[in-house]
Amino acid sequence: MNEILHIYHTNDIHSHFENWPKIRHFLQRKKEQHARNNEEMLLFDLGDHVDRCHPYTEGTMGKANVRLLNELGYLAATIGNNEGITMPHDALDTLYQEAQFDIILANLYDDNFKRPKWTVPRKIYTTKGGVRIGVTGVTAPFYKLYRLLGWQISNPLKELETQIDFLKKQADIIVVLSHLGIHEDLIVAKLYPEVDLILGGHTHHVLEKGETDGQTLLAAAGKYGYYLGHVKLEIDPGAKKIVHRSARALPTGNFQEPHDEASEIEHYYFEGKKLLDKKLVYLPETLESDWFRDNCLAGLLCEAVMEWCGADCAFLNAGLVLGSLEQGPVTKFDLHRILPHPINPCLIELTGAQLQEVLLATLDPKWPHLELKGLGFRGKIMGQFVYRRIQFNHALRKIYINGQPVAPDRIYKLGTIDMYTFGNFFPHIREAKIHYFMPEFLRDVLEWKLVELYKVRP
């Protein structure tokens, strides 16, 4: 009799806990059902479960996410870029201290090129029927950003070659946990036909019924818990070969809602708010935010970024600031509420001619109402640009930096945000010399500036 193996997988949850109760309720029922039918069930997460945009994640530095994975009995996980490069080194190094599942990650090392003690590059699991499931995992290689945080990331394709070469000798079925994205997953399938299954994430792609490339099945479940991935394998226990396989991305909107869903979702939010209820300063007046005009709060953030980076000038988009700060005490939760983005300040070196082209591009009327998703941005629209030490004389068609006309051949230091270096906003910025300031987010920089300007009232 053939053995039935059910593999469920999540990816890119990004701390969207509003979908978690339905996922948990569904998986708990499936676990009971498969046990009754004498069918095995494995559960994997493919990274970016952690996202510091949610106060519960921020307040626990991701440990709340790990507890949620523990509760559901995950077998293993790999990390995404949100675990890897949006957390300080020590926070990532201690994130999985209480994990009751394996963290399978082949291409992360410390500064001494040793694997972190909380990872394994591969693991072999054996089913009741004696079938050996070999699993390895890799994450997207943001080389420079990992180095800035005290890690070394290696080429995932080369690491996979090593791990797959081992697993094909020791395992009957090979599974890759990938946080590389769909394009790289297709490359993996072509390079390593020995791989039976690639569970993918990072690019938020949905493979509703899976996708086959040669002998390899690819599966992916989108983002934010809108889908749950399910792979069903029918295995001949004698030959230890897959005789039938299928994959689906199950819309969680169709799942039964647990009776306490609303209260559970509220609990996550208010628990995070409580954890972040640390008073930082007392404001004598309200600092207003406005996405469509120069305003006090966005201007203060821009000034803080300029000073933090030691820049000649600075700009950023007002849509980063999602709300005002009211008169009275300001807490860490307040700063998280208005700046939830995992976005870092950065310093860009540009010639005057390049800087002028970039600044003129910021005047394009398309920007203020442009809707934006991804690249760390957790807001809605760009909003207009806000500047510090940058003046435009539209009548003379001239730009001034700190009161002086831009000198075309001079090197200027521009303070801004890392988002512009990843997206296709300004070509000159992408090609420039960039210094990222990590691990501080924009809210940390604003906190520094507020503490400098105001005091906490007892």
Side-chain angles (χ1 to χ4, degrees), residues 79-137:
I79 74 165
N81 45 288
N82 271 263
E83 287 90 2
I85 59 175
T86 73
M87 302 184 72
H89 184 285
D90 288 346
L92 175 58
D93 208 26
T94 58
L95 175 61
Y96 298 104
Q97 279 181 334
E98 299 176 8
Q100 297 166 13
F101 50 90
D102 296 316
I103 296 87
I104 301 178
L105 181 58
N107 65 321
L108 181 71
Y109 299 84
D110 64 20
D111 267 346
N112 297 315
F113 281 94
K114 293 182 178 179
R115 297 190 191 277
K117 60 183 179 299
W118 43 271
T119 67
V120 292
R122 60 183 178 269
K123 190 72 180 283
I124 296 177
Y125 303 97
T126 304
T127 69
K128 294 175 183 176
V131 177
R132 297 166 299 174
I133 312 294
V135 182
T136 187

Side-chain angles (χ1 to χ4, degrees), residues 40-54:
E40 291 205 48
M41 172 178 160
L42 308 180
L43 185 53
F44 297 107
D45 185 78
L46 311 175
D48 277 5
H49 192 284
V50 167
D51 193 317
R52 291 175 60 189
C53 70
H54 195 288

Side-chain angles (χ1 to χ4, degrees), residues 2-6 38-41 232-235:
N2 289 339
E3 186 174 10
I4 303 298
L5 179 63
H6 295 274
N38 200 31
E39 298 172 346
E40 291 205 48
M41 172 178 160
K232 183 179 179 181
L233 302 180
E234 185 177 345
I235 304 167

Side-chain angles (χ1 to χ4, degrees), residues 330-378:
V330 174
T331 66
K332 280 189 172 290
F333 174 78
D334 294 320
L335 294 188
H336 186 274
R337 171 180 57 83
I338 66 168
L339 290 167
H341 328 279
I343 290 177
N344 306 98
C346 65
L347 187 70
I348 314 290
E349 293 190 20
L350 297 167
T351 66
Q354 293 171 329
L355 178 60
Q356 182 157 303
E357 282 191 43
V358 169
L359 293 175
L360 289 173
T362 67
L363 301 177
D364 192 317
K366 72 180 180 182
W367 294 118
H369 293 278
L370 181 69
E371 295 184 4
L372 180 65
K373 294 186 183 300
L375 304 175
F377 187 67
R378 302 296 186 253

Side-chain angles (χ1 to χ4, degrees), residues 10-14 46-48 78-83 85 138-142 146 178-185 199-206 219-224 374-375:
T10 52
N11 63 275
D12 298 278
I13 296 292
H14 284 279
L46 311 175
D48 277 5
T78 196
I79 74 165
N81 45 288
N82 271 263
E83 287 90 2
I85 59 175
V138 282
T139 196
F142 291 89
Y146 274 102
S178 166
H179 198 86
L180 300 180
I182 181 60
H183 302 296
E184 283 72 15
D185 288 350
L199 304 177
H202 185 48
T203 45
H204 297 181
H205 51 291
V206 180
K223 64 179 181 178
Y224 303 167
L375 304 175

